[in-house]
Amino acid sequence: MSDWQALDQQYLMSTYHRLPIAIERAEGNHLYDTGGRSYLDLFTGLAVNILGHSHPAVMQALRQQGERYLHVSNKFLNPPAIQLARRLVESSIPGKVFFTNSGAEATETAVKLVHKWSREPDRARQGFVVMEKSFHGRTLGAIRLTRQPGVYQDFPQPAIPVFEVPPNDIDALKTVCERERPAAILAEPILGSGGVQPLEKDYLKAMAVIARERGMLLLLDEIQTGIGRTGTFFAHQAYGITPDLILFAKGVGGGLPLGGILASDRIASLFRPGDHGTTFAPSPLSAALGLAVVEELLDRGGLEQGRKNAAYLWEALSSLREKHPDVIGTIRGKGMMIGLDTRLSPEEALRLQRGLLEDGVLVDIAQQRVIRLLPPLTLKPEETDFFVDRLSTRLSRIGEGIS
Ligand SMILES: *Cc1c(COP(=O)(O)O)cnc(C)c1O
């Protein structure tokens, strides 16, 4: 065991199965550990570093804003945050932003805002429709909306009405909306920690119609799918639907903590001074980095380049599946959010992940046997080739009983 691993176990609570690697620095699409080894980063800090590490535009924003000021609080106007909010609104739905420090806090904010909305006169609607295996965060309100027993079962649950439906079943959704009179539907366009399960286009479209016809709100959790991850700025934009509220976080702070909600004007105006707040968010530094990311994606071709890099990766993965039909099942997701469903046992999947680490490639495992890839949009074709070659070799060895 390395010194860092021993100290980690002594001083930090063990809420994660950590990989035994201490990162010293990161550059481009690679991490470098304290032992001098490098890893191709197909995890990007859990879908955060959308442009890889140390991107020049992000580093420039870091230096510039870092020299101006780090924090002033919500008592002052915050130019980097105002500019970022404007870009987010202009590239999605007309409305207003509330910034938070994290995804879970964005979920909490949405819960409070929807609650205010549902208490307006004559509304007579309450609570949320959510998907089986959804993930919306780890705070108390967010675990109520998260439908993974491992996340909520040992903890107190606030009394928010929640109605769980199986994803992609339009009839089930209609029935629940009719019977329970919920205030809102909350969904991830692609369920992330639920195993990279996309909602189908027809289902998303039906969801928007059902919500509109019944006077409900449609909330999309784009915390993971947003900011270019799936090939459009927000994932729902590929389906021509318009939500009433979007949750975002992860990629939006350029690697620093930042999240928030963007709500259409009609709902956003329900928050009055004193209704909600936070000391830190929006950090001017996070906002400045986020602004650099958005400009890179939308003004300098980052999104377009990301789509090309993703198309190359998808090609390579589908050839890989043809070579290993016995191990790889479906390949799910969109853009740079991909799940390779394997027929491996949970132990084999973990051994595969460790094996790839030895080869210098970092991937994640979700739902025990899904190889989860969250690569940067900047992933180069030669990096894809390197990864797919190593993965193919590892899969062949598993087929032969060596791992
Ligand atoms: C990560 C994630 C969250 C929670 O974000 P945190 O910043 O970890 O609190 C919520 N919803 C989705 C879809 C996520 O991927």
mmCIF file with all atom_site columns, all heavy atoms in Angstrom, residues 16 46 101-105 107 135-138 188 190 192-193 221-225 247 249-250 258 372, ligand 1:
data_model
loop_
_atom_site.group_PDB
_atom_site.id
_atom_site.type_symbol
_atom_site.label_atom_id
_atom_site.label_alt_id
_atom_site.label_comp_id
_atom_site.label_asym_id
_atom_site.label_entity_id
_atom_site.label_seq_id
_atom_site.pdbx_PDB_ins_code
_atom_site.Cartn_x
_atom_site.Cartn_y
_atom_site.Cartn_z
_atom_site.occupancy
_atom_site.B_iso_or_equiv
_atom_site.pdbx_formal_charge
_atom_site.auth_seq_id
_atom_site.auth_comp_id
_atom_site.auth_asym_id
_atom_site.auth_atom_id
_atom_site.pdbx_PDB_model_num
ATOM   1   N N   . TYR A 1 16  ? -16.120 6.054  -0.660  1.00 0.00 ? 16  TYR A N   1
ATOM   2   C CA  . TYR A 1 16  ? -15.856 5.663  -2.048  1.00 0.00 ? 16  TYR A CA  1
ATOM   3   C C   . TYR A 1 16  ? -14.874 4.498  -2.088  1.00 0.00 ? 16  TYR A C   1
ATOM   4   O O   . TYR A 1 16  ? -13.998 4.395  -1.232  1.00 0.00 ? 16  TYR A O   1
ATOM   5   C CB  . TYR A 1 16  ? -15.210 6.823  -2.837  1.00 0.00 ? 16  TYR A CB  1
ATOM   6   C CG  . TYR A 1 16  ? -16.193 7.881  -3.274  1.00 0.00 ? 16  TYR A CG  1
ATOM   7   C CD1 . TYR A 1 16  ? -16.517 8.953  -2.444  1.00 0.00 ? 16  TYR A CD1 1
ATOM   8   C CD2 . TYR A 1 16  ? -16.791 7.817  -4.532  1.00 0.00 ? 16  TYR A CD2 1
ATOM   9   C CE1 . TYR A 1 16  ? -17.421 9.921  -2.851  1.00 0.00 ? 16  TYR A CE1 1
ATOM   10  C CE2 . TYR A 1 16  ? -17.683 8.788  -4.937  1.00 0.00 ? 16  TYR A CE2 1
ATOM   11  C CZ  . TYR A 1 16  ? -18.000 9.838  -4.099  1.00 0.00 ? 16  TYR A CZ  1
ATOM   12  O OH  . TYR A 1 16  ? -18.885 10.789 -4.508  1.00 0.00 ? 16  TYR A OH  1
ATOM   13  N N   . LEU A 1 46  ? -15.511 12.373 -13.474 1.00 0.00 ? 46  LEU A N   1
ATOM   14  C CA  . LEU A 1 46  ? -16.959 12.114 -13.503 1.00 0.00 ? 46  LEU A CA  1
ATOM   15  C C   . LEU A 1 46  ? -17.704 13.162 -14.348 1.00 0.00 ? 46  LEU A C   1
ATOM   16  O O   . LEU A 1 46  ? -18.555 13.889 -13.840 1.00 0.00 ? 46  LEU A O   1
ATOM   17  C CB  . LEU A 1 46  ? -17.550 12.019 -12.088 1.00 0.00 ? 46  LEU A CB  1
ATOM   18  C CG  . LEU A 1 46  ? -18.502 10.847 -11.863 1.00 0.00 ? 46  LEU A CG  1
ATOM   19  C CD1 . LEU A 1 46  ? -18.999 10.778 -10.438 1.00 0.00 ? 46  LEU A CD1 1
ATOM   20  C CD2 . LEU A 1 46  ? -19.653 10.807 -12.858 1.00 0.00 ? 46  LEU A CD2 1
ATOM   21  N N   . ASN A 1 101 ? -23.456 25.394 -5.971  1.00 0.00 ? 101 ASN A N   1
ATOM   22  C CA  . ASN A 1 101 ? -22.083 24.865 -5.928  1.00 0.00 ? 101 ASN A CA  1
ATOM   23  C C   . ASN A 1 101 ? -21.984 23.449 -6.461  1.00 0.00 ? 101 ASN A C   1
ATOM   24  O O   . ASN A 1 101 ? -20.890 22.929 -6.626  1.00 0.00 ? 101 ASN A O   1
ATOM   25  C CB  . ASN A 1 101 ? -21.575 24.860 -4.482  1.00 0.00 ? 101 ASN A CB  1
ATOM   26  C CG  . ASN A 1 101 ? -21.542 26.254 -3.908  1.00 0.00 ? 101 ASN A CG  1
ATOM   27  O OD1 . ASN A 1 101 ? -20.710 27.065 -4.301  1.00 0.00 ? 101 ASN A OD1 1
ATOM   28  N ND2 . ASN A 1 101 ? -22.466 26.541 -3.007  1.00 0.00 ? 101 ASN A ND2 1
ATOM   29  N N   . SER A 1 102 ? -23.113 22.788 -6.645  1.00 0.00 ? 102 SER A N   1
ATOM   30  C CA  . SER A 1 102 ? -23.059 21.373 -7.017  1.00 0.00 ? 102 SER A CA  1
ATOM   31  C C   . SER A 1 102 ? -24.358 20.964 -7.695  1.00 0.00 ? 102 SER A C   1
ATOM   32  O O   . SER A 1 102 ? -25.329 21.734 -7.726  1.00 0.00 ? 102 SER A O   1
ATOM   33  C CB  . SER A 1 102 ? -22.878 20.502 -5.769  1.00 0.00 ? 102 SER A CB  1
ATOM   34  O OG  . SER A 1 102 ? -24.057 20.555 -4.991  1.00 0.00 ? 102 SER A OG  1
ATOM   35  N N   . GLY A 1 103 ? -24.369 19.738 -8.195  1.00 0.00 ? 103 GLY A N   1
ATOM   36  C CA  . GLY A 1 103 ? -25.564 19.198 -8.826  1.00 0.00 ? 103 GLY A CA  1
ATOM   37  C C   . GLY A 1 103 ? -26.682 18.962 -7.825  1.00 0.00 ? 103 GLY A C   1
ATOM   38  O O   . GLY A 1 103 ? -27.838 19.324 -8.057  1.00 0.00 ? 103 GLY A O   1
ATOM   39  N N   . ALA A 1 104 ? -26.325 18.336 -6.679  1.00 0.00 ? 104 ALA A N   1
ATOM   40  C CA  . ALA A 1 104 ? -27.352 18.039 -5.675  1.00 0.00 ? 104 ALA A CA  1
ATOM   41  C C   . ALA A 1 104 ? -28.047 19.321 -5.228  1.00 0.00 ? 104 ALA A C   1
ATOM   42  O O   . ALA A 1 104 ? -29.267 19.358 -5.029  1.00 0.00 ? 104 ALA A O   1
ATOM   43  C CB  . ALA A 1 104 ? -26.722 17.338 -4.472  1.00 0.00 ? 104 ALA A CB  1
ATOM   44  N N   . GLU A 1 105 ? -27.261 20.363 -5.087  1.00 0.00 ? 105 GLU A N   1
ATOM   45  C CA  . GLU A 1 105 ? -27.820 21.644 -4.650  1.00 0.00 ? 105 GLU A CA  1
ATOM   46  C C   . GLU A 1 105 ? -28.732 22.234 -5.743  1.00 0.00 ? 105 GLU A C   1
ATOM   47  O O   . GLU A 1 105 ? -29.694 22.955 -5.433  1.00 0.00 ? 105 GLU A O   1
ATOM   48  C CB  . GLU A 1 105 ? -26.653 22.588 -4.365  1.00 0.00 ? 105 GLU A CB  1
ATOM   49  C CG  . GLU A 1 105 ? -26.878 23.559 -3.261  1.00 0.00 ? 105 GLU A CG  1
ATOM   50  C CD  . GLU A 1 105 ? -25.717 24.545 -3.180  1.00 0.00 ? 105 GLU A CD  1
ATOM   51  O OE1 . GLU A 1 105 ? -24.550 24.143 -3.373  1.00 0.00 ? 105 GLU A OE1 1
ATOM   52  O OE2 . GLU A 1 105 ? -25.999 25.728 -2.957  1.00 0.00 ? 105 GLU A OE2 1
ATOM   53  N N   . THR A 1 107 ? -30.607 20.320 -7.611  1.00 0.00 ? 107 THR A N   1
ATOM   54  C CA  . THR A 1 107 ? -31.834 19.551 -7.407  1.00 0.00 ? 107 THR A CA  1
ATOM   55  C C   . THR A 1 107 ? -32.652 20.134 -6.260  1.00 0.00 ? 107 THR A C   1
ATOM   56  O O   . THR A 1 107 ? -33.874 20.317 -6.369  1.00 0.00 ? 107 THR A O   1
ATOM   57  C CB  . THR A 1 107 ? -31.493 18.064 -7.114  1.00 0.00 ? 107 THR A CB  1
ATOM   58  O OG1 . THR A 1 107 ? -30.739 17.544 -8.209  1.00 0.00 ? 107 THR A OG1 1
ATOM   59  C CG2 . THR A 1 107 ? -32.744 17.231 -6.920  1.00 0.00 ? 107 THR A CG2 1
ATOM   60  N N   . PHE A 1 135 ? -30.846 9.244  -10.900 1.00 0.00 ? 135 PHE A N   1
ATOM   61  C CA  . PHE A 1 135 ? -29.885 9.802  -9.941  1.00 0.00 ? 135 PHE A CA  1
ATOM   62  C C   . PHE A 1 135 ? -29.936 11.311 -10.009 1.00 0.00 ? 135 PHE A C   1
ATOM   63  O O   . PHE A 1 135 ? -29.708 11.895 -11.059 1.00 0.00 ? 135 PHE A O   1
ATOM   64  C CB  . PHE A 1 135 ? -28.455 9.314  -10.218 1.00 0.00 ? 135 PHE A CB  1
ATOM   65  C CG  . PHE A 1 135 ? -27.483 9.800  -9.175  1.00 0.00 ? 135 PHE A CG  1
ATOM   66  C CD1 . PHE A 1 135 ? -27.296 9.093  -7.992  1.00 0.00 ? 135 PHE A CD1 1
ATOM   67  C CD2 . PHE A 1 135 ? -26.792 10.992 -9.348  1.00 0.00 ? 135 PHE A CD2 1
ATOM   68  C CE1 . PHE A 1 135 ? -26.425 9.563  -7.002  1.00 0.00 ? 135 PHE A CE1 1
ATOM   69  C CE2 . PHE A 1 135 ? -25.916 11.469 -8.361  1.00 0.00 ? 135 PHE A CE2 1
ATOM   70  C CZ  . PHE A 1 135 ? -25.730 10.748 -7.199  1.00 0.00 ? 135 PHE A CZ  1
ATOM   71  N N   . HIS A 1 136 ? -30.250 11.949 -8.871  1.00 0.00 ? 136 HIS A N   1
ATOM   72  C CA  . HIS A 1 136 ? -30.337 13.411 -8.859  1.00 0.00 ? 136 HIS A CA  1
ATOM   73  C C   . HIS A 1 136 ? -29.518 14.033 -7.734  1.00 0.00 ? 136 HIS A C   1
ATOM   74  O O   . HIS A 1 136 ? -29.660 15.221 -7.465  1.00 0.00 ? 136 HIS A O   1
ATOM   75  C CB  . HIS A 1 136 ? -31.800 13.849 -8.778  1.00 0.00 ? 136 HIS A CB  1
ATOM   76  C CG  . HIS A 1 136 ? -32.616 13.351 -9.931  1.00 0.00 ? 136 HIS A CG  1
ATOM   77  N ND1 . HIS A 1 136 ? -32.424 13.788 -11.226 1.00 0.00 ? 136 HIS A ND1 1
ATOM   78  C CD2 . HIS A 1 136 ? -33.592 12.399 -10.003 1.00 0.00 ? 136 HIS A CD2 1
ATOM   79  C CE1 . HIS A 1 136 ? -33.267 13.157 -12.044 1.00 0.00 ? 136 HIS A CE1 1
ATOM   80  N NE2 . HIS A 1 136 ? -33.986 12.305 -11.323 1.00 0.00 ? 136 HIS A NE2 1
ATOM   81  N N   . GLY A 1 137 ? -28.685 13.226 -7.050  1.00 0.00 ? 137 GLY A N   1
ATOM   82  C CA  . GLY A 1 137 ? -27.809 13.790 -6.034  1.00 0.00 ? 137 GLY A CA  1
ATOM   83  C C   . GLY A 1 137 ? -27.970 13.123 -4.685  1.00 0.00 ? 137 GLY A C   1
ATOM   84  O O   . GLY A 1 137 ? -28.810 12.234 -4.507  1.00 0.00 ? 137 GLY A O   1
ATOM   85  N N   . ARG A 1 138 ? -27.157 13.563 -3.718  1.00 0.00 ? 138 ARG A N   1
ATOM   86  C CA  . ARG A 1 138 ? -26.999 12.841 -2.453  1.00 0.00 ? 138 ARG A CA  1
ATOM   87  C C   . ARG A 1 138 ? -27.455 13.608 -1.219  1.00 0.00 ? 138 ARG A C   1
ATOM   88  O O   . ARG A 1 138 ? -27.297 13.118 -0.104  1.00 0.00 ? 138 ARG A O   1
ATOM   89  C CB  . ARG A 1 138 ? -25.521 12.492 -2.273  1.00 0.00 ? 138 ARG A CB  1
ATOM   90  C CG  . ARG A 1 138 ? -24.991 11.608 -3.384  1.00 0.00 ? 138 ARG A CG  1
ATOM   91  C CD  . ARG A 1 138 ? -24.610 10.315 -2.825  1.00 0.00 ? 138 ARG A CD  1
ATOM   92  N NE  . ARG A 1 138 ? -24.023 9.407  -3.783  1.00 0.00 ? 138 ARG A NE  1
ATOM   93  C CZ  . ARG A 1 138 ? -24.026 8.096  -3.586  1.00 0.00 ? 138 ARG A CZ  1
ATOM   94  N NH1 . ARG A 1 138 ? -24.576 7.594  -2.502  1.00 0.00 ? 138 ARG A NH1 1
ATOM   95  N NH2 . ARG A 1 138 ? -23.475 7.311  -4.458  1.00 0.00 ? 138 ARG A NH2 1
ATOM   96  N N   . GLU A 1 188 ? -33.511 12.543 -16.387 1.00 0.00 ? 188 GLU A N   1
ATOM   97  C CA  . GLU A 1 188 ? -32.227 12.694 -17.078 1.00 0.00 ? 188 GLU A CA  1
ATOM   98  C C   . GLU A 1 188 ? -32.445 12.202 -18.514 1.00 0.00 ? 188 GLU A C   1
ATOM   99  O O   . GLU A 1 188 ? -32.929 11.082 -18.697 1.00 0.00 ? 188 GLU A O   1
ATOM   100 C CB  . GLU A 1 188 ? -31.162 11.791 -16.438 1.00 0.00 ? 188 GLU A CB  1
ATOM   101 C CG  . GLU A 1 188 ? -30.904 12.022 -14.965 1.00 0.00 ? 188 GLU A CG  1
ATOM   102 C CD  . GLU A 1 188 ? -30.363 10.747 -14.289 1.00 0.00 ? 188 GLU A CD  1
ATOM   103 O OE1 . GLU A 1 188 ? -29.179 10.435 -14.443 1.00 0.00 ? 188 GLU A OE1 1
ATOM   104 O OE2 . GLU A 1 188 ? -31.146 10.058 -13.602 1.00 0.00 ? 188 GLU A OE2 1
ATOM   105 N N   . ILE A 1 190 ? -30.379 11.011 -20.530 1.00 0.00 ? 190 ILE A N   1
ATOM   106 C CA  . ILE A 1 190 ? -29.725 9.695  -20.484 1.00 0.00 ? 190 ILE A CA  1
ATOM   107 C C   . ILE A 1 190 ? -29.430 9.433  -19.020 1.00 0.00 ? 190 ILE A C   1
ATOM   108 O O   . ILE A 1 190 ? -28.706 10.204 -18.379 1.00 0.00 ? 190 ILE A O   1
ATOM   109 C CB  . ILE A 1 190 ? -28.398 9.681  -21.282 1.00 0.00 ? 190 ILE A CB  1
ATOM   110 C CG1 . ILE A 1 190 ? -28.633 10.037 -22.748 1.00 0.00 ? 190 ILE A CG1 1
ATOM   111 C CG2 . ILE A 1 190 ? -27.722 8.321  -21.162 1.00 0.00 ? 190 ILE A CG2 1
ATOM   112 C CD1 . ILE A 1 190 ? -27.350 10.216 -23.562 1.00 0.00 ? 190 ILE A CD1 1
ATOM   113 N N   . GLY A 1 192 ? -27.541 8.426  -16.131 1.00 0.00 ? 192 GLY A N   1
ATOM   114 C CA  . GLY A 1 192 ? -26.096 8.233  -16.060 1.00 0.00 ? 192 GLY A CA  1
ATOM   115 C C   . GLY A 1 192 ? -25.713 7.135  -15.101 1.00 0.00 ? 192 GLY A C   1
ATOM   116 O O   . GLY A 1 192 ? -25.382 6.015  -15.523 1.00 0.00 ? 192 GLY A O   1
ATOM   117 N N   . SER A 1 193 ? -25.782 7.384  -13.801 1.00 0.00 ? 193 SER A N   1
ATOM   118 C CA  . SER A 1 193 ? -25.346 6.360  -12.851 1.00 0.00 ? 193 SER A CA  1
ATOM   119 C C   . SER A 1 193 ? -26.316 5.185  -12.850 1.00 0.00 ? 193 SER A C   1
ATOM   120 O O   . SER A 1 193 ? -25.992 4.105  -12.377 1.00 0.00 ? 193 SER A O   1
ATOM   121 C CB  . SER A 1 193 ? -25.157 6.958  -11.457 1.00 0.00 ? 193 SER A CB  1
ATOM   122 O OG  . SER A 1 193 ? -26.357 6.963  -10.750 1.00 0.00 ? 193 SER A OG  1
ATOM   123 N N   . ASP A 1 221 ? -32.903 16.950 -15.887 1.00 0.00 ? 221 ASP A N   1
ATOM   124 C CA  . ASP A 1 221 ? -31.630 16.938 -15.172 1.00 0.00 ? 221 ASP A CA  1
ATOM   125 C C   . ASP A 1 221 ? -30.528 16.723 -16.207 1.00 0.00 ? 221 ASP A C   1
ATOM   126 O O   . ASP A 1 221 ? -30.274 15.603 -16.631 1.00 0.00 ? 221 ASP A O   1
ATOM   127 C CB  . ASP A 1 221 ? -31.629 15.837 -14.103 1.00 0.00 ? 221 ASP A CB  1
ATOM   128 C CG  . ASP A 1 221 ? -30.308 15.798 -13.328 1.00 0.00 ? 221 ASP A CG  1
ATOM   129 O OD1 . ASP A 1 221 ? -29.315 16.391 -13.805 1.00 0.00 ? 221 ASP A OD1 1
ATOM   130 O OD2 . ASP A 1 221 ? -30.274 15.151 -12.256 1.00 0.00 ? 221 ASP A OD2 1
ATOM   131 N N   . GLU A 1 222 ? -29.908 17.830 -16.614 1.00 0.00 ? 222 GLU A N   1
ATOM   132 C CA  . GLU A 1 222 ? -28.826 17.773 -17.608 1.00 0.00 ? 222 GLU A CA  1
ATOM   133 C C   . GLU A 1 222 ? -27.473 17.995 -16.931 1.00 0.00 ? 222 GLU A C   1
ATOM   134 O O   . GLU A 1 222 ? -26.531 18.491 -17.534 1.00 0.00 ? 222 GLU A O   1
ATOM   135 C CB  . GLU A 1 222 ? -29.069 18.819 -18.707 1.00 0.00 ? 222 GLU A CB  1
ATOM   136 C CG  . GLU A 1 222 ? -30.313 18.535 -19.541 1.00 0.00 ? 222 GLU A CG  1
ATOM   137 C CD  . GLU A 1 222 ? -29.976 18.255 -21.011 1.00 0.00 ? 222 GLU A CD  1
ATOM   138 O OE1 . GLU A 1 222 ? -28.819 17.877 -21.317 1.00 0.00 ? 222 GLU A OE1 1
ATOM   139 O OE2 . GLU A 1 222 ? -30.890 18.435 -21.843 1.00 0.00 ? 222 GLU A OE2 1
ATOM   140 N N   . ILE A 1 223 ? -27.437 17.627 -15.643 1.00 0.00 ? 223 ILE A N   1
ATOM   141 C CA  . ILE A 1 223 ? -26.200 17.807 -14.877 1.00 0.00 ? 223 ILE A CA  1
ATOM   142 C C   . ILE A 1 223 ? -25.052 17.048 -15.533 1.00 0.00 ? 223 ILE A C   1
ATOM   143 O O   . ILE A 1 223 ? -23.931 17.539 -15.600 1.00 0.00 ? 223 ILE A O   1
ATOM   144 C CB  . ILE A 1 223 ? -26.437 17.364 -13.410 1.00 0.00 ? 223 ILE A CB  1
ATOM   145 C CG1 . ILE A 1 223 ? -27.343 18.392 -12.717 1.00 0.00 ? 223 ILE A CG1 1
ATOM   146 C CG2 . ILE A 1 223 ? -25.132 17.177 -12.665 1.00 0.00 ? 223 ILE A CG2 1
ATOM   147 C CD1 . ILE A 1 223 ? -27.832 17.992 -11.335 1.00 0.00 ? 223 ILE A CD1 1
ATOM   148 N N   . GLN A 1 224 ? -25.360 15.850 -16.036 1.00 0.00 ? 224 GLN A N   1
ATOM   149 C CA  . GLN A 1 224 ? -24.310 15.066 -16.699 1.00 0.00 ? 224 GLN A CA  1
ATOM   150 C C   . GLN A 1 224 ? -24.357 15.191 -18.224 1.00 0.00 ? 224 GLN A C   1
ATOM   151 O O   . GLN A 1 224 ? -23.330 15.207 -18.890 1.00 0.00 ? 224 GLN A O   1
ATOM   152 C CB  . GLN A 1 224 ? -24.422 13.595 -16.296 1.00 0.00 ? 224 GLN A CB  1
ATOM   153 C CG  . GLN A 1 224 ? -23.222 12.777 -16.684 1.00 0.00 ? 224 GLN A CG  1
ATOM   154 C CD  . GLN A 1 224 ? -23.165 11.418 -16.007 1.00 0.00 ? 224 GLN A CD  1
ATOM   155 O OE1 . GLN A 1 224 ? -22.712 10.463 -16.593 1.00 0.00 ? 224 GLN A OE1 1
ATOM   156 N NE2 . GLN A 1 224 ? -23.621 11.309 -14.772 1.00 0.00 ? 224 GLN A NE2 1
ATOM   157 N N   . THR A 1 225 ? -25.558 15.275 -18.779 1.00 0.00 ? 225 THR A N   1
ATOM   158 C CA  . THR A 1 225 ? -25.699 15.273 -20.249 1.00 0.00 ? 225 THR A CA  1
ATOM   159 C C   . THR A 1 225 ? -25.430 16.644 -20.864 1.00 0.00 ? 225 THR A C   1
ATOM   160 O O   . THR A 1 225 ? -25.215 16.735 -22.077 1.00 0.00 ? 225 THR A O   1
ATOM   161 C CB  . THR A 1 225 ? -27.125 14.839 -20.650 1.00 0.00 ? 225 THR A CB  1
ATOM   162 O OG1 . THR A 1 225 ? -28.059 15.660 -19.944 1.00 0.00 ? 225 THR A OG1 1
ATOM   163 C CG2 . THR A 1 225 ? -27.376 13.388 -20.318 1.00 0.00 ? 225 THR A CG2 1
ATOM   164 N N   . LEU A 1 247 ? -31.620 21.476 -15.087 1.00 0.00 ? 247 LEU A N   1
ATOM   165 C CA  . LEU A 1 247 ? -30.599 21.411 -14.045 1.00 0.00 ? 247 LEU A CA  1
ATOM   166 C C   . LEU A 1 247 ? -29.258 21.192 -14.723 1.00 0.00 ? 247 LEU A C   1
ATOM   167 O O   . LEU A 1 247 ? -29.167 20.378 -15.648 1.00 0.00 ? 247 LEU A O   1
ATOM   168 C CB  . LEU A 1 247 ? -30.867 20.251 -13.082 1.00 0.00 ? 247 LEU A CB  1
ATOM   169 C CG  . LEU A 1 247 ? -32.097 20.349 -12.206 1.00 0.00 ? 247 LEU A CG  1
ATOM   170 C CD1 . LEU A 1 247 ? -33.324 19.837 -12.949 1.00 0.00 ? 247 LEU A CD1 1
ATOM   171 C CD2 . LEU A 1 247 ? -31.911 19.545 -10.934 1.00 0.00 ? 247 LEU A CD2 1
ATOM   172 N N   . ALA A 1 249 ? -24.694 21.183 -14.011 1.00 0.00 ? 249 ALA A N   1
ATOM   173 C CA  . ALA A 1 249 ? -23.543 21.252 -13.086 1.00 0.00 ? 249 ALA A CA  1
ATOM   174 C C   . ALA A 1 249 ? -22.348 20.637 -13.822 1.00 0.00 ? 249 ALA A C   1
ATOM   175 O O   . ALA A 1 249 ? -22.104 20.979 -14.968 1.00 0.00 ? 249 ALA A O   1
ATOM   176 C CB  . ALA A 1 249 ? -23.822 20.528 -11.770 1.00 0.00 ? 249 ALA A CB  1
ATOM   177 N N   . LYS A 1 250 ? -21.652 19.745 -13.174 1.00 0.00 ? 250 LYS A N   1
ATOM   178 C CA  . LYS A 1 250 ? -20.510 19.023 -13.756 1.00 0.00 ? 250 LYS A CA  1
ATOM   179 C C   . LYS A 1 250 ? -19.631 19.854 -14.696 1.00 0.00 ? 250 LYS A C   1
ATOM   180 O O   . LYS A 1 250 ? -18.763 20.556 -14.222 1.00 0.00 ? 250 LYS A O   1
ATOM   181 C CB  . LYS A 1 250 ? -21.004 17.732 -14.414 1.00 0.00 ? 250 LYS A CB  1
ATOM   182 C CG  . LYS A 1 250 ? -21.672 16.801 -13.392 1.00 0.00 ? 250 LYS A CG  1
ATOM   183 C CD  . LYS A 1 250 ? -21.327 15.340 -13.528 1.00 0.00 ? 250 LYS A CD  1
ATOM   184 C CE  . LYS A 1 250 ? -21.499 14.608 -12.216 1.00 0.00 ? 250 LYS A CE  1
ATOM   185 N NZ  . LYS A 1 250 ? -22.779 13.959 -12.042 1.00 0.00 ? 250 LYS A NZ  1
ATOM   186 N N   . LEU A 1 258 ? -19.507 24.211 -9.653  1.00 0.00 ? 258 LEU A N   1
ATOM   187 C CA  . LEU A 1 258 ? -20.560 25.124 -10.089 1.00 0.00 ? 258 LEU A CA  1
ATOM   188 C C   . LEU A 1 258 ? -21.728 24.289 -10.613 1.00 0.00 ? 258 LEU A C   1
ATOM   189 O O   . LEU A 1 258 ? -21.527 23.244 -11.229 1.00 0.00 ? 258 LEU A O   1
ATOM   190 C CB  . LEU A 1 258 ? -20.051 26.040 -11.208 1.00 0.00 ? 258 LEU A CB  1
ATOM   191 C CG  . LEU A 1 258 ? -21.010 27.179 -11.629 1.00 0.00 ? 258 LEU A CG  1
ATOM   192 C CD1 . LEU A 1 258 ? -21.190 28.186 -10.503 1.00 0.00 ? 258 LEU A CD1 1
ATOM   193 C CD2 . LEU A 1 258 ? -20.503 27.896 -12.877 1.00 0.00 ? 258 LEU A CD2 1
ATOM   194 N N   . ARG A 1 372 ? -18.332 2.350  -18.336 1.00 0.00 ? 372 ARG A N   1
ATOM   195 C CA  . ARG A 1 372 ? -18.856 3.689  -18.569 1.00 0.00 ? 372 ARG A CA  1
ATOM   196 C C   . ARG A 1 372 ? -17.725 4.596  -19.046 1.00 0.00 ? 372 ARG A C   1
ATOM   197 O O   . ARG A 1 372 ? -16.709 4.739  -18.373 1.00 0.00 ? 372 ARG A O   1
ATOM   198 C CB  . ARG A 1 372 ? -19.483 4.246  -17.288 1.00 0.00 ? 372 ARG A CB  1
ATOM   199 C CG  . ARG A 1 372 ? -19.866 5.710  -17.460 1.00 0.00 ? 372 ARG A CG  1
ATOM   200 C CD  . ARG A 1 372 ? -20.949 6.144  -16.520 1.00 0.00 ? 372 ARG A CD  1
ATOM   201 N NE  . ARG A 1 372 ? -20.540 6.231  -15.135 1.00 0.00 ? 372 ARG A NE  1
ATOM   202 C CZ  . ARG A 1 372 ? -21.158 7.044  -14.268 1.00 0.00 ? 372 ARG A CZ  1
ATOM   203 N NH1 . ARG A 1 372 ? -22.170 7.799  -14.648 1.00 0.00 ? 372 ARG A NH1 1
ATOM   204 N NH2 . ARG A 1 372 ? -20.777 7.071  -13.014 1.00 0.00 ? 372 ARG A NH2 1
HETATM 205 C C1  . LIG B 2 .   ? -23.657 14.026 -10.738 1.00 0.00 ? 1   LIG B C1  1
HETATM 206 C C2  . LIG B 2 .   ? -25.097 14.140 -10.878 1.00 0.00 ? 1   LIG B C2  1
HETATM 207 C C3  . LIG B 2 .   ? -25.876 14.775 -9.897  1.00 0.00 ? 1   LIG B C3  1
HETATM 208 C C4  . LIG B 2 .   ? -25.301 15.269 -8.587  1.00 0.00 ? 1   LIG B C4  1
HETATM 209 O O1  . LIG B 2 .   ? -24.297 16.242 -8.756  1.00 0.00 ? 1   LIG B O1  1
HETATM 210 P P1  . LIG B 2 .   ? -23.286 16.546 -7.546  1.00 0.00 ? 1   LIG B P1  1
HETATM 211 O O2  . LIG B 2 .   ? -22.483 17.721 -8.049  1.00 0.00 ? 1   LIG B O2  1
HETATM 212 O O3  . LIG B 2 .   ? -22.462 15.319 -7.340  1.00 0.00 ? 1   LIG B O3  1
HETATM 213 O O4  . LIG B 2 .   ? -24.084 16.868 -6.352  1.00 0.00 ? 1   LIG B O4  1
HETATM 214 C C5  . LIG B 2 .   ? -27.234 14.901 -10.130 1.00 0.00 ? 1   LIG B C5  1
HETATM 215 N N1  . LIG B 2 .   ? -27.798 14.452 -11.264 1.00 0.00 ? 1   LIG B N1  1
HETATM 216 C C6  . LIG B 2 .   ? -27.071 13.854 -12.234 1.00 0.00 ? 1   LIG B C6  1
HETATM 217 C C7  . LIG B 2 .   ? -27.743 13.388 -13.471 1.00 0.00 ? 1   LIG B C7  1
HETATM 218 C C8  . LIG B 2 .   ? -25.709 13.666 -12.070 1.00 0.00 ? 1   LIG B C8  1
HETATM 219 O O5  . LIG B 2 .   ? -25.004 13.030 -13.011 1.00 0.00 ? 1   LIG B O5  1
#
